[in-house]
Amino acid sequence: MNPEPDASKRDLEQEVLELLDAFHDGPWNPEQENRLHTLLREDPAARRVFIREQLLAAELRHLRQHTPGSALEPHPEPAVPATPPPSAAAHFPRPWRWGAAAALFLFGLALGWAFRLPTPRALAEETDDGVALLVQNVDASWIGQRQPNASHILSAGRLRLASGLAQIEFYSGARLLLHGPAELELRSAHEAICHSGRIRVSVPPQARGFKLTTPHGLVRDQGSEFGLETDPLTASRIQVFSGTLEVVPLESAPTPRTPRRLSAGEHFAWTASQTLPSQSLEAEHFASFEAVRGQAEALQKKRYEAWTQWSRELSRDPRIVARYDFETRGHLLRDSGPTASHGSIIGCEFSNGRWADKGALEFKRPGDRVRVHIPGTFEALTLSAWIRVDAPVRRPMGLLLTDGYRPGFPHWQIALDGQLRLGLSVQPPSGPPRSSGYGSPLLFTSRQMGVWSFVATVYDNTRAIARHYFNGIEVASEKTIASQSVQIGDADIGNWGAPLKSDNQPLRSFLGKIDDLTIWNTPLGAEEIREIYEKTRP
């Protein structure tokens, strides 16, 4: 059997995919543009590859928009597998295509390509299935792999708090303090189930009618603040601090299902079958919202002080190429690494970082950036940063982008539709440079806006591997397409400097805050990246 036809087909597919990679990382040169144009016009096999990418993009986009989330989404650990499903991984290893294919389709129509492409599924209006926000955490330890942080949107589903305190604010306006250990199920913006544990609930007038169910009955609020303690094996006890509410026992109770109306100062205890003698529960038995706010602020200050000590020690690590902690304010972004590659701040403004006392740079305008020059040639790099995206990801946003698009100079950015991506042009032993790109699954949705996230990317030329991490968890791993040492040289943090010799520059400006960016000359392992996340998270 002659293998040449199959080999030729693979070469053609690889060329089309590399041209699409180049389109994404940009800029396209005229030769690349003309080559893709020619392939799509003259070669049916090339058109089939392109159409296949289009259909997959449309379907994945539809699935992402119509798959309901769990109570804790989005999490530090994204609700995506670390590797794509086999059916997708075998044919579509580059996740950026999920978002870029639609743009390419329109680009193709604009060029007047002489063939008809299927129209992608119309995009549905973006929706939010959240019902509440987690606004405060005080020494909270959650049962399960996912550990939500403050500011995360919570969807309907169960929360299991092993210890500590968590303050939840429902979209209806009701507020709730959960004392660990406890198990709470969010049903909607107006309803929750306390399966076990101790909670304090405040329901303002605009949230009147909020319902809280226990294993023994229903609490229907009329605008009040109360404390509730329930054990599914024994009884539920309630104490009203202000306002009025109704307690409705289960229908299985032998007495008629008559609501019990309670006012400020009254208390009540009941099981599924009877009313019990009750004693007053002191307000001190339930943490107050004001006390939790103070405890959270004290804990944040303590974590910031611990980070300060850790950061000083890290700066002495010989593997550090450059380290920007964003602590010193001025016209320069100070590098505490060995090369003192200080950055020139252009446009950005200093702001609060992931703690109130911590510094960060805020990027708001298309021209905002930090201009750096980082010398050296490396066989491996680890890039890490704490970032807060403050706008929907409608276009690529630069994290650290080297000038132009030359072989060996990496582009680290948030790609179309919110994937973390490392783009790299490589120079094979023979022939022209080839584009390569290594992307993560979808990470930065609208739910992640305003939430601090730790991102890290590892490029290991020796082992021919590229990996992405999100909040300490590996989310993507891909073999590199060719051997290529890397350099940084002239580059921008939060933007793209001198991408083209043209008056019209591709927009890659970051929108949000960047804090604590570090570059290592070694491929950090999963355990070390997880440790860094745990030591530096807010």
Side-chain angles (χ1 to χ4, degrees):
M1 181 180 293
N2 186 355
E4 288 304 316
D6 288 340
S8 176
K9 180 180 178 181
R10 287 195 300 271
D11 290 343
L12 173 66
E13 178 170 343
Q14 182 65 31
E15 183 178 7
V16 172
L17 296 182
E18 288 177 5
L19 287 169
L20 298 185
D21 273 331
F23 170 83
H24 174 77
D25 286 325
W28 252 4
N29 60 48
E31 291 78 11
Q32 290 172 316
E33 181 178 334
N34 291 336
R35 175 59 177 163
L36 184 58
H37 186 186
T38 299
L39 286 173
L40 293 174
R41 184 181 63 244
E42 299 179 355
D43 196 319
R47 293 199 291 271
R48 284 194 294 270
V49 172
F50 184 82
I51 292 170
R52 185 190 69 192
E53 300 292 300
Q54 274 291 107
L55 294 176
L56 177 69
E59 186 62 26
L60 288 174
R61 188 189 297 270
H62 176 77
L63 289 174
R64 288 203 306 273
Q65 292 179 341
H66 294 84
T67 300
S70 67
L72 300 182
E73 289 183 352
H75 308 292
E77 297 79 358
V80 293
T83 56
S87 59
H91 302 288
F92 310 103
R94 295 173 175 82
W96 71 265
R97 300 191 198 107
W98 303 349
L104 284 165
F105 176 62
L106 296 176
F107 176 78
L109 290 180
L111 286 177
W113 285 330
F115 56 92
R116 295 186 62 186
L117 296 175
T119 303
R121 188 192 305 266
L123 296 181
E125 182 177 4
E126 191 170 8
T127 60
D128 173 22
D129 68 349
V131 300
L133 289 173
L134 178 63
V135 297
Q136 297 282 9
N137 260 347
V138 178
D139 289 328
S141 175
W142 301 91
I143 298 174
Q145 182 184 8
R146 294 165 179 158
Q147 302 286 308
N149 290 324
S151 301
H152 278 165
I153 293 173
L154 304 175
S155 299
R158 291 202 181 200
L159 298 168
R160 296 176 176 87
L161 183 65
S163 60
L165 294 167
Q167 181 177 334
I168 297 170
E169 293 185 357
F170 288 82
Y171 286 1
S172 62
R175 296 189 300 164
L176 184 150
L177 272 178
L178 194 62
H179 301 62
E183 182 172 343
L184 182 75
E185 182 177 350
L186 310 183
R187 298 296 302 274
S188 72
H190 306 275
E191 183 179 2
I193 301 173
C194 183
H195 293 280
S196 65
R198 180 163 40 113
I199 59 175
R200 185 179 190 127
V201 181
S202 175
V203 181
Q206 60 269 29
R208 185 179 289 112
F210 182 81
K211 298 177 181 179
L212 183 66
T213 303
T214 80
H216 311 109
L218 170 69
V219 178
R220 189 162 50 216
D221 196 276
Q222 301 300 316
S224 70
E225 185 166 335
F226 64 91
L228 182 138
E229 190 172 47
T230 186
D231 183 333
L233 299 179
T234 56
S236 294
R237 299 193 299 162
I238 193 168
Q239 176 75 46
V240 183
F241 304 130
S242 64
T244 60
L245 54 79
E246 290 181 339
V247 175
V248 184
L250 290 176
E251 287 186 353
S252 60
T255 55
R257 183 183 169 127
T258 303
R260 176 72 175 263
R261 188 175 181 87
L262 300 176
S263 301
E266 294 186 297
H267 47 87
F268 185 60
W270 77 104
T271 69
S273 58
Q274 61 180 325
T275 298
L276 299 176
S278 64
Q279 294 181 341
S280 175
L281 296 172
E282 298 296 331
E284 291 74 17
H285 188 61
F286 303 90
S288 69
F289 293 96
E290 293 74 18
V292 168
R293 185 180 304 112
Q295 292 178 46
E297 291 173 355
L299 180 62
Q300 293 295 300
K301 185 176 182 64
K302 182 179 179 180
R303 289 193 64 85
Y304 171 64
E305 292 171 351
W307 171 86
T308 301
Q309 177 62 36
W310 175 86
S311 182
R312 283 195 292 263
E313 296 172 358
L314 181 66
S315 295
R316 296 191 290 269
D317 190 325
R319 303 172 298 171
I320 296 290
V321 174
R323 170 154 173 76
Y324 305 100
D325 60 18
F326 295 78
E327 284 291 86
T328 304
R329 304 195 176 206
H331 70 284
L332 291 179
L333 183 63
R334 308 291 298 183
D335 169 25
S336 60
T339 62
S341 301
H342 308 313
S344 179
I345 299 173
I346 303 168
C348 334
E349 298 177 354
F350 274 97
S351 179
N352 293 336
R354 56 196 191 276
W355 298 292
D357 297 330
K358 176 77 179 67
L361 272 179
E362 187 170 10
F363 298 74
K364 296 184 292 187
R365 296 170 292 271
D368 289 356
R369 67 193 68 209
V370 179
R371 191 73 176 149
V372 299
H373 177 85
I374 301 173
T377 300
F378 313 98
E379 292 304 313
L381 282 179
T382 298
L383 309 168
S384 73
W386 277 95
I387 63 174
R388 198 186 82 178
V389 178
D390 289 343
V393 182
R394 307 300 188 203
R395 55 169 174 76
M397 294 187 185
L399 297 176
L400 179 66
L401 296 182
T402 58
D403 284 4
Y405 197 63
R406 298 164 291 166
F409 287 81
H411 289 177
W412 191 42
Q413 61 187 322
I414 298 172
L416 290 169
D417 282 354
Q419 297 111 16
L420 184 64
R421 179 175 172 84
L422 181 70
L424 185 66
S425 176
V426 300
Q427 179 62 65
S430 62
R434 298 170 60 186
S435 298
S436 67
Y438 312 100
S440 75
L442 174 68
L443 299 175
F444 292 95
T445 65
S446 58
R447 279 184 154 213
Q448 203 65 19
M449 288 173 52
V451 178
W452 283 102
S453 304
F454 179 68
V455 293
T457 296
V458 174
Y459 174 80
D460 187 347
N461 189 43
T462 303
R463 296 181 177 86
I465 198 78
R467 292 190 172 96
H468 293 293
Y469 296 82
F470 188 72
N471 288 337
I473 300 297
E474 181 181 317
V475 294
S477 178
E478 190 173 345
K479 296 288 288 184
T480 56
I481 70 168
S483 177
Q484 179 67 61
S485 57
V486 292
Q487 304 175 62
I488 298 176
D490 294 328
D492 278 4
I493 296 173
N495 218 314
W496 193 10
L500 288 171
K501 295 180 180 178
S502 167
D503 292 335
N504 297 317
Q505 308 286 5
L507 198 60
R508 296 290 190 270
S509 53
F510 184 79
L511 295 174
K513 295 183 179 182
I514 300 180
D515 179 4
D516 207 0
L517 189 152
T518 308
I519 304 169
W520 283 265
N521 62 11
T522 187
L524 296 186
E527 290 185 7
E528 190 164 9
I529 289 176
R530 179 70 181 182
E531 181 182 5
I532 292 171
Y533 166 73
E534 291 295 343
K535 287 184 176 181
T536 62
R537 66 181 177 88

